[in-house]
Amino acid sequence: MIADKGPILEVEDLRTQFSLPQGTVRSVDGASLSVAQGETVGIVGESGCGKSVLLRSILRIVPRPGKVVDGAIRWRRKDDTVVDLATLPGDGREIRMIRGGEIAMIFQEPMSSLSPVHTIGDQIVEAIMLRGNTTPEQAWVRAVETLARVAMPRPEMIARQYPHELSGGMRQRAMIAMALSCDPRLLMADEPTTALDVTTQAQILALMRRLQREAGMAILFVTHDLGVVAQMTERVVVMYLGKVVEAGPVGDIFAAPLHPYTHALLHSIPRFGLRQKGERLAAIPGSIPDPYSVPRGCAFHARCRFDDKRRCRSEVPALREIAPGRMVRCHRAEELGLSGMSMPEPSPALAHP
Amino acid sequence: MLAYLMHRSLQMVATVFIISVIAFLVIQLPPGDFVNSYLATLSGGDQITQDAVEALRAQFGLDDNLLVQYWRWISNLLMGNFGISFQYQRTVLDLLEERLPLTLAITIPTALFVYALAVPIGIYSAVRQYSVLDYTFTFVGFIGLAIPNFLMAILLIYVNSTYFGGNVAGLFSPEYELAPWSVGRVLDMLSNLSLAILIIGLGGTAATMRVMRGMLLDELSQAYVETARAKGLPEWKLILKYPVRVAISPVLSTIGFTLPHLVSGTEITATVLNLPTTGPLLLNAVRSQDMFLAASIIFILSVLTVIGTFLSDLLLVWADPRIRL
């Protein structure tokens, strides 16, 4: 991979807030991450940790009344100029050309993420016609080609069909084809396989890996499934309540987590042989705090086994780099010595795509 | 598609037949017949002999059994002979020819006015939910929904005659009432008509606007809208292409009811405004048991309903491919 050119995307201290009558929800509260060219980065966390809002903030499509209020989203364009997406007008021409054209996104629900009243081909053609001066006929040919690229069976026919006539896996393929139709350099995937059954999930993941190799694009992969993270990504960013709590290479994170939250997440993955060894699945105690009243100090302290009842409750920990490439947001990261977990085996579908 | 059209056409014929029977029977339901209600309206004093009554009944064919009466009516109807109106002593066709053009001159622009105004306002209100204009439209809409059209008509007549000294009721202002046709008379008629259109259309606009707003609000939060946004489409373009296309279905399905509404459905308002349309004609015909006139109008209305439903079904299939033929 061409990682030496530096990151193509750099998010720094991003804050996205929803001002509601009940109060302000800080969905993304000072998140930072970077993605190098051709790299796959995973973002993990429970529902409500702000990972989906983070992706939408990057594309500037946060639904109202959400707003990017602070921070920078530095995006390196093809000509190596860097543009701060956070400061562009949300419906302006420049951000719209980057959306879909340079950064594409695929969504969780392939059922509802495609328009029910337009054909698959029509929806892909639209994306192609939006940039590039092609005739509708050329765009149609390219749409069918793109469908073939995602291993869609009978692409000419599928292009003329409506989403409700396809299966869930085929819809997600169509969705990916739509995202790929403009050769983006970054593909953001918001839990793209959560709504699919396990075998379809493996196929879609294998497809994404293959396409990434072919096109050399970077992937920012949001999921709550650590098994998927282990199979798909090179680096992991763990989020909790809008903040990045840990980041590092995927192998290191699994072998030696630094943050108690990451540790708890790892040990809540169901594994074979757990019962024979007399172990129990470790659920994370408590639930995500009310977004209107985030705890003082470390946001995780109420659910943390290592709460020191003093500093953890009074002082918000900073995100520190404690080893090369290893970032963590915990006062006690060095002293805890948390146990790791073997990486889940890749599924056969991924081993032989 | 062709098979579907054939199938639907046969269904429509059957439906119209059943409706014609029901329409005919319903007219017969109240005790007595036209002769009774005719006699009741005559001033007392005159002694009407039983013989005269019998003669009237025989003349109108009211003595025959229902089946014969129905057959006579429907067979004539199919040949374009709608029978005569007892009350007006003229053919039904004659009466309709006199009233239909004016009726349509009011109701067709009204229907266009309703959709042309309500759909864009509904879209705007949904996209800019809770904006000042949305609240304004909502407020005006509720007033339009809550105040019956005829009441609005009375209010407008009152306001107009008190403050502007004009007379908005009727087709013409008094000075043009009996005048020969001229540019002034046409303009006068148009100004009176536009008031009628405004009043009659208000309720429909308010209702359609609310439907459009509510449906679009549901669609705006759908995932496919976000997909379109992530593609880089300009906001208004994507809203018109995706969620509006889905949200407009229920509005399209109301077109089926609009067609009969064009002929009738504005009885009270037209009566208040003193407009010689078919609405008040039907009202009168039913009240005086003017059998053929009432049944004919009801029959026309039901045919229009059936055709309108058919049209809106076709529109729905066009708008939403998930609706299978």
Side-chain angles (χ1 to χ4, degrees):
Chain A
M1 302 284 162
I2 322 147
D4 53 314
K5 282 181 76 179
I8 53 169
L9 176 72
E10 225 178 341
V11 176
E12 196 183 312
D13 206 24
L14 186 71
R15 285 166 209 278
T16 302
Q17 301 181 349
F18 288 75
S19 293
L20 299 165
Q22 303 92 309
T24 301
V25 177
R26 294 176 169 81
S27 297
V28 178
D29 195 21
S32 305
L33 62 87
S34 69
V35 181
Q37 190 166 329
E39 184 187 31
T40 305
V41 176
I43 304 178
V44 285
E46 287 163 286
S47 322
C49 72
K51 50 196 195 307
S52 294
V53 176
L54 174 60
L55 290 197
R56 283 160 179 76
S57 303
I58 293 171
L59 274 190
R60 300 293 309 280
I61 55 168
V62 182
R64 252 190 276 246
K67 253 180 127 171
V68 175
V69 293
D70 198 16
I73 306 164
R74 283 188 285 273
W75 170 249
R76 188 151 53 79
R77 306 198 68 164
K78 268 186 200 125
D79 55 6
D80 268 349
T81 55
V82 173
V83 52
D84 184 357
L85 305 184
T87 57
L88 291 180
D91 194 30
R93 195 179 150 73
E94 199 173 358
I95 185 78
R96 281 196 284 106
M97 291 318 283
I98 292 172
R99 258 181 228 157
E102 297 180 30
I103 307 177
M105 186 158 172
I106 56 179
F107 296 88
Q108 178 173 357
E109 287 285 343
M111 308 287 169
S112 49
S113 294
L114 291 164
S115 163
V117 296
H118 296 86
T119 61
I120 301 291
D122 185 19
Q123 296 182 56
I124 300 177
V125 163
E126 180 185 61
I128 297 171
M129 298 280 291
L130 215 55
R131 29 227 122 224
N133 30 2
T134 49
T135 65
E137 293 75 23
Q138 288 170 323
W140 183 268
V141 171
R142 246 184 84 187
V144 174
E145 281 169 9
T146 317
L147 282 173
R149 248 177 91 197
V150 300
M152 182 74 90
R154 293 168 282 114
E156 301 88 359
M157 208 181 115
I158 296 288
R160 287 176 208 288
Q161 286 186 310
Y162 291 95
H164 69 271
E165 298 171 300
L166 309 184
S167 69
M170 278 159 97
R171 282 179 214 172
Q172 197 57 289
R173 278 177 204 274
M175 189 81 208
I176 294 173
M178 197 156 87
L180 290 181
S181 61
C182 296
D183 299 317
R185 288 184 303 133
L186 173 64
L187 178 67
M188 302 202 294
D190 187 9
E191 310 220 15
T193 57
T194 307
L196 304 174
D197 66 59
V198 184
T199 46
T200 315
Q201 172 172 337
Q203 286 170 6
I204 294 292
L205 292 178
L207 171 71
M208 287 178 70
R209 287 237 86 148
R210 175 170 69 78
L211 292 170
Q212 183 187 24
R213 270 200 313 274
E214 287 171 9
M217 66 184 172
I219 296 182
L220 191 52
F221 200 105
V222 160
T223 180
H224 60 258
D225 185 339
L226 281 164
V228 171
V229 164
Q231 293 170 9
M232 286 294 292
T233 65
E234 290 145 30
R235 280 197 309 119
V236 184
V237 173
V238 183
M239 281 184 75
Y240 186 75
L241 276 178
K243 286 188 167 69
V244 172
V245 294
E246 181 163 2
V250 64
D252 295 0
I253 297 263
F254 270 86
L258 292 172
H259 197 283
Y261 178 63
T262 317
H263 177 252
L265 272 185
L266 285 176
H267 289 269
S268 62
I269 310 176
R271 297 175 305 281
F272 285 118
L274 207 60
R275 195 177 306 178
Q276 281 89 331
K277 282 189 254 168
E279 288 176 36
R280 297 189 59 189
L281 197 59
I284 304 176
S287 56
I288 294 195
D290 177 18
Y292 298 111
S293 55
V294 173
R296 284 165 50 90
C298 172
F300 188 60
H301 79 251
R303 303 171 72 189
C304 184
R305 285 200 288 149
F306 308 101
D307 172 20
D308 71 355
K309 299 190 173 57
R310 296 187 307 276
R311 201 176 166 208
C312 290
R313 298 190 179 186
S314 59
E315 189 186 328
V316 180
L319 190 65
R320 301 174 289 143
E321 183 162 15
I322 64 171
R326 297 294 311 271
M327 310 285 288
V328 66
R329 192 188 284 275
C330 176
H331 295 308
R332 306 183 60 193
E334 291 91 341
E335 51 177 296
L336 293 177
L338 299 168
S339 65
M341 174 73 51
S342 60
M343 297 244 292
E345 291 289 310
S347 70
L350 277 173
H352 309 286
Chain B
M1 191 68 189
L2 202 70
Y4 172 75
L5 288 178
M6 297 278 291
H7 176 74
R8 278 302 300 262
S9 306
L10 282 176
Q11 263 186 351
M12 280 160 63
V13 171
T15 313
V16 166
F17 167 72
I18 295 168
I19 291 173
S20 75
V21 173
I22 295 173
F24 191 78
L25 288 179
V26 166
I27 299 298
Q28 306 279 353
L29 270 185
D33 53 29
F34 175 72
V35 175
N36 292 87
S37 45
Y38 177 66
L39 292 182
T41 59
L42 290 177
S43 51
D46 286 355
Q47 285 297 319
I48 291 159
T49 61
Q50 193 61 31
D51 286 352
V53 172
E54 292 301 325
L56 269 175
R57 287 230 161 87
Q59 185 196 336
F60 294 144
L62 297 176
D63 285 331
D64 301 321
N65 75 35
L66 273 183
L67 216 59
V68 173
Q69 288 194 50
Y70 172 75
W71 174 249
R72 196 158 52 216
W73 173 67
I74 195 75
S75 55
N76 277 322
L77 191 96
L78 291 178
M79 287 185 293
N81 179 3
F82 287 65
I84 57 151
S85 158
F86 304 139
Q87 191 185 12
Y88 294 88
Q89 290 297 321
R90 293 165 62 189
T91 68
V92 170
L93 210 58
D94 214 26
L95 282 168
L96 289 180
E97 264 171 18
E98 182 182 290
R99 298 216 170 197
L100 258 183
L102 174 74
T103 309
L104 295 180
I106 294 175
T107 52
I108 291 177
T110 306
L112 294 178
F113 164 79
V114 165
Y115 288 113
L117 203 65
V119 170
I121 290 180
I123 293 173
Y124 181 89
S125 285
V127 175
R128 295 268 179 273
Q129 194 190 9
Y130 303 141
S131 66
V132 176
L133 267 180
D134 175 34
Y135 280 123
T136 313
F137 288 134
T138 302
F139 180 70
V140 174
F142 278 141
I143 287 181
L145 272 180
I147 301 182
N149 287 346
F150 68 88
L151 198 65
M152 201 61 113
I154 294 173
L155 270 173
L156 244 110
I157 293 173
Y158 172 77
V159 168
N160 210 290
S161 63
T162 324
Y163 296 101
F164 304 103
N167 176 22
V168 290
L171 207 45
F172 304 102
S173 306
E175 64 267 33
Y176 286 111
E177 188 75 59
L178 298 168
W181 282 104
S182 66
V183 177
R185 194 166 189 252
V186 171
L187 286 178
D188 181 57
M189 184 179 84
L190 286 180
S191 82
N192 273 14
L193 275 187
S194 55
L195 260 172
I197 288 168
L198 194 73
I199 293 167
I200 296 169
L202 192 66
T205 307
T208 309
M209 183 173 108
R210 297 304 293 174
V211 171
M212 189 68 218
R213 178 181 183 272
M215 291 306 297
L216 188 56
L217 276 178
D218 278 352
E219 293 302 324
L220 280 177
S221 54
Q222 294 291 322
Y224 65 84
V225 181
E226 194 165 48
T227 308
R229 202 168 285 141
K231 263 190 217 176
L233 280 172
E235 190 68 13
W236 276 105
K237 196 176 161 189
L238 79 89
I239 284 174
L240 291 180
K241 177 164 178 185
Y242 292 102
V244 166
R245 170 88 182 268
V246 179
I248 206 147
S249 291
V251 175
L252 291 180
S253 63
T254 61
I255 290 177
F257 321 126
T258 308
L259 226 51
H261 200 83
L262 293 181
V263 173
S264 145
T266 52
E267 296 89 353
I268 302 176
T269 313
T271 307
V272 170
L273 285 175
N274 192 22
L275 294 171
T277 61
T278 40
L281 190 68
L282 173 63
L283 204 62
N284 266 330
V286 173
R287 274 168 53 194
S288 59
Q289 286 184 284
D290 193 345
M291 196 169 83
F292 290 132
L293 182 58
S296 298
I297 296 181
I298 291 175
F299 182 77
I300 292 173
L301 290 182
S302 53
V303 169
L304 286 175
T305 309
V306 171
I307 294 174
T309 312
F310 178 63
L311 285 180
S312 59
D313 280 0
L314 287 184
L315 279 173
L316 278 178
V317 168
W318 165 78
D320 194 337
R322 284 171 301 178
I323 301 170
R324 300 264 89 195
L325 290 181

